[in-house]
PDB file of all heavy atoms in Angstrom:
ATOM      1  N   GLY A1276       2.641  -5.335  20.278  1.00 97.00           N
ATOM      2  CA  GLY A1276       1.779  -6.478  20.585  1.00 97.00           C
ATOM      3  C   GLY A1276       2.555  -7.653  21.116  1.00 97.00           C
ATOM      4  O   GLY A1276       2.129  -8.308  22.036  1.00 97.00           O
ATOM      5  N   ALA A1277       3.712  -7.944  20.472  1.00 97.00           N
ATOM      6  CA  ALA A1277       4.670  -8.919  20.993  1.00 97.00           C
ATOM      7  C   ALA A1277       4.040 -10.194  21.531  1.00 97.00           C
ATOM      8  O   ALA A1277       3.955 -10.406  22.741  1.00 97.00           O
ATOM      9  CB  ALA A1277       5.549  -8.257  22.064  1.00 97.00           C
ATOM     10  N   GLY A1278       3.586 -11.035  20.659  1.00 98.00           N
ATOM     11  CA  GLY A1278       3.013 -12.314  21.089  1.00 98.00           C
ATOM     12  C   GLY A1278       1.505 -12.309  21.155  1.00 98.00           C
ATOM     13  O   GLY A1278       0.846 -13.308  20.812  1.00 98.00           O
ATOM     14  N   ARG A1279       0.923 -11.190  21.527  1.00 98.00           N
ATOM     15  CA  ARG A1279      -0.547 -11.144  21.588  1.00 98.00           C
ATOM     16  C   ARG A1279      -1.164 -11.074  20.190  1.00 98.00           C
ATOM     17  O   ARG A1279      -2.164 -11.758  19.939  1.00 98.00           O
ATOM     18  CB  ARG A1279      -1.038  -9.969  22.454  1.00 98.00           C
ATOM     19  CG  ARG A1279      -0.731 -10.168  23.946  1.00 98.00           C
ATOM     20  CD  ARG A1279       0.570  -9.502  24.342  1.00 98.00           C
ATOM     21  NE  ARG A1279       0.401  -8.082  24.586  1.00 98.00           N
ATOM     22  CZ  ARG A1279       1.394  -7.200  24.628  1.00 98.00           C
ATOM     23  NH1 ARG A1279       2.640  -7.613  24.435  1.00 98.00           N
ATOM     24  NH2 ARG A1279       1.156  -5.923  24.848  1.00 98.00           N
ATOM     25  N   PRO A1280      -0.571 -10.312  19.253  1.00 98.00           N
ATOM     26  CA  PRO A1280      -1.155 -10.329  17.913  1.00 98.00           C
ATOM     27  C   PRO A1280      -1.168 -11.736  17.305  1.00 98.00           C
ATOM     28  O   PRO A1280      -2.168 -12.141  16.665  1.00 98.00           O
ATOM     29  CB  PRO A1280      -0.242  -9.397  17.098  1.00 98.00           C
ATOM     30  CG  PRO A1280       0.394  -8.499  18.109  1.00 98.00           C
ATOM     31  CD  PRO A1280       0.536  -9.338  19.346  1.00 98.00           C
ATOM     32  N   GLU A1281      -0.085 -12.465  17.474  1.00 98.00           N
ATOM     33  CA  GLU A1281       0.016 -13.795  16.881  1.00 98.00           C
ATOM     34  C   GLU A1281      -1.069 -14.713  17.458  1.00 98.00           C
ATOM     35  O   GLU A1281      -1.722 -15.469  16.720  1.00 98.00           O
ATOM     36  CB  GLU A1281       1.400 -14.405  17.169  1.00 98.00           C
ATOM     37  CG  GLU A1281       2.570 -13.640  16.569  1.00 98.00           C
ATOM     38  CD  GLU A1281       3.157 -12.599  17.499  1.00 98.00           C
ATOM     39  OE1 GLU A1281       2.388 -11.851  18.117  1.00 98.00           O
ATOM     40  OE2 GLU A1281       4.402 -12.529  17.622  1.00 98.00           O
ATOM     41  N   ASN A1282      -1.255 -14.654  18.764  1.00 98.00           N
ATOM     42  CA  ASN A1282      -2.169 -15.584  19.423  1.00 98.00           C
ATOM     43  C   ASN A1282      -3.631 -15.166  19.304  1.00 98.00           C
ATOM     44  O   ASN A1282      -4.507 -16.021  19.127  1.00 98.00           O
ATOM     45  CB  ASN A1282      -1.750 -15.784  20.877  1.00 98.00           C
ATOM     46  CG  ASN A1282      -0.524 -16.678  20.972  1.00 98.00           C
ATOM     47  OD1 ASN A1282      -0.639 -17.880  21.048  1.00 98.00           O
ATOM     48  ND2 ASN A1282       0.654 -16.095  20.888  1.00 98.00           N
ATOM     49  N   VAL A1283      -3.886 -13.882  19.369  1.00 98.00           N
ATOM     50  CA  VAL A1283      -5.251 -13.421  19.134  1.00 98.00           C
ATOM     51  C   VAL A1283      -5.658 -13.738  17.696  1.00 98.00           C
ATOM     52  O   VAL A1283      -6.795 -14.117  17.416  1.00 98.00           O
ATOM     53  CB  VAL A1283      -5.374 -11.913  19.460  1.00 98.00           C
ATOM     54  CG1 VAL A1283      -6.660 -11.340  18.884  1.00 98.00           C
ATOM     55  CG2 VAL A1283      -5.311 -11.697  20.966  1.00 98.00           C
ATOM     56  N   TYR A1284      -4.696 -13.597  16.801  1.00 98.00           N
ATOM     57  CA  TYR A1284      -4.963 -13.908  15.390  1.00 98.00           C
ATOM     58  C   TYR A1284      -5.379 -15.375  15.256  1.00 98.00           C
ATOM     59  O   TYR A1284      -6.344 -15.689  14.533  1.00 98.00           O
ATOM     60  CB  TYR A1284      -3.722 -13.603  14.547  1.00 98.00           C
ATOM     61  CG  TYR A1284      -3.905 -13.775  13.069  1.00 98.00           C
ATOM     62  CD1 TYR A1284      -4.584 -12.825  12.320  1.00 98.00           C
ATOM     63  CD2 TYR A1284      -3.397 -14.887  12.411  1.00 98.00           C
ATOM     64  CE1 TYR A1284      -4.753 -12.977  10.943  1.00 98.00           C
ATOM     65  CE2 TYR A1284      -3.563 -15.061  11.029  1.00 98.00           C
ATOM     66  CZ  TYR A1284      -4.228 -14.109  10.314  1.00 98.00           C
ATOM     67  OH  TYR A1284      -4.401 -14.255   8.961  1.00 98.00           O
ATOM     68  N   LEU A1285      -4.686 -16.262  15.959  1.00 98.00           N
ATOM     69  CA  LEU A1285      -5.021 -17.690  15.896  1.00 98.00           C
ATOM     70  C   LEU A1285      -6.456 -17.945  16.313  1.00 98.00           C
ATOM     71  O   LEU A1285      -7.237 -18.600  15.598  1.00 98.00           O
ATOM     72  CB  LEU A1285      -4.117 -18.518  16.814  1.00 98.00           C
ATOM     73  CG  LEU A1285      -2.653 -18.729  16.465  1.00 98.00           C
ATOM     74  CD1 LEU A1285      -1.999 -19.646  17.490  1.00 98.00           C
ATOM     75  CD2 LEU A1285      -2.523 -19.319  15.071  1.00 98.00           C
ATOM     76  N   ILE A1286      -6.825 -17.442  17.471  1.00 98.00           N
ATOM     77  CA  ILE A1286      -8.149 -17.791  18.007  1.00 98.00           C
ATOM     78  C   ILE A1286      -9.248 -17.105  17.203  1.00 98.00           C
ATOM     79  O   ILE A1286     -10.333 -17.668  16.986  1.00 98.00           O
ATOM     80  CB  ILE A1286      -8.242 -17.461  19.519  1.00 98.00           C
ATOM     81  CG1 ILE A1286      -9.514 -18.037  20.148  1.00 98.00           C
ATOM     82  CG2 ILE A1286      -8.145 -15.980  19.790  1.00 98.00           C
ATOM     83  CD1 ILE A1286      -9.482 -19.491  20.406  1.00 98.00           C
ATOM     84  N   GLU A1287      -8.965 -15.888  16.707  1.00 98.00           N
ATOM     85  CA  GLU A1287      -9.983 -15.199  15.901  1.00 98.00           C
ATOM     86  C   GLU A1287     -10.163 -15.854  14.537  1.00 98.00           C
ATOM     87  O   GLU A1287     -11.280 -15.877  13.987  1.00 98.00           O
ATOM     88  CB  GLU A1287      -9.649 -13.722  15.793  1.00 98.00           C
ATOM     89  CG  GLU A1287      -9.842 -12.962  17.085  1.00 98.00           C
ATOM     90  CD  GLU A1287     -11.256 -13.148  17.641  1.00 98.00           C
ATOM     91  OE1 GLU A1287     -12.229 -12.778  16.959  1.00 98.00           O
ATOM     92  OE2 GLU A1287     -11.377 -13.717  18.752  1.00 98.00           O
TER      93      GLU A1287
END
Side-chain angles (χ1 to χ4, degrees):
Chain A
R1279 291 94 82 197
E1281 297 91 314
N1282 284 271
V1283 165
Y1284 185 77
L1285 288 184
I1286 190 77
E1287 288 305 299

